[in-house]
Amino acid sequence: MQSYCGVPLLDEDGKMFGTICHFDFRAIAISDANVALMEAIAPLIRRITSGTTKSVSK
């Protein structure tokens, strides 16, 4: 893996329960627009999964 970008998925309490990520086996630049899109999608995924995820804390 040469390229990676991840955006956290946060539950209603602000606890991380996952990530939206992009990776590639080639070294590529990840544009600000792609990061912004991933950040815009994150709250939508939280709404869809609300009540179906449980944060794991140690």
Side-chain angles (χ1 to χ4, degrees):
M1 183 169 59
Q2 296 292 315
S3 299
Y4 175 84
C5 179
V7 173
L9 294 173
L10 306 174
D11 68 11
E12 297 84 13
D13 298 323
K15 295 180 183 174
M16 189 171 86
F17 69 89
T19 60
I20 300 172
C21 60
H22 161 85
F23 65 91
D24 202 306
F25 294 104
R26 299 173 292 134
I28 60 170
I30 299 168
S31 71
D32 291 342
N34 283 343
V35 175
L37 178 61
M38 292 167 57
E39 290 173 337
I41 290 171
L44 301 175
I45 293 173
R46 181 189 55 82
R47 281 188 226 140
I48 290 168
T49 60
S50 180
T52 62
T53 60
K54 294 181 182 179
S55 295
V56 177
S57 58
K58 292 183 178 183

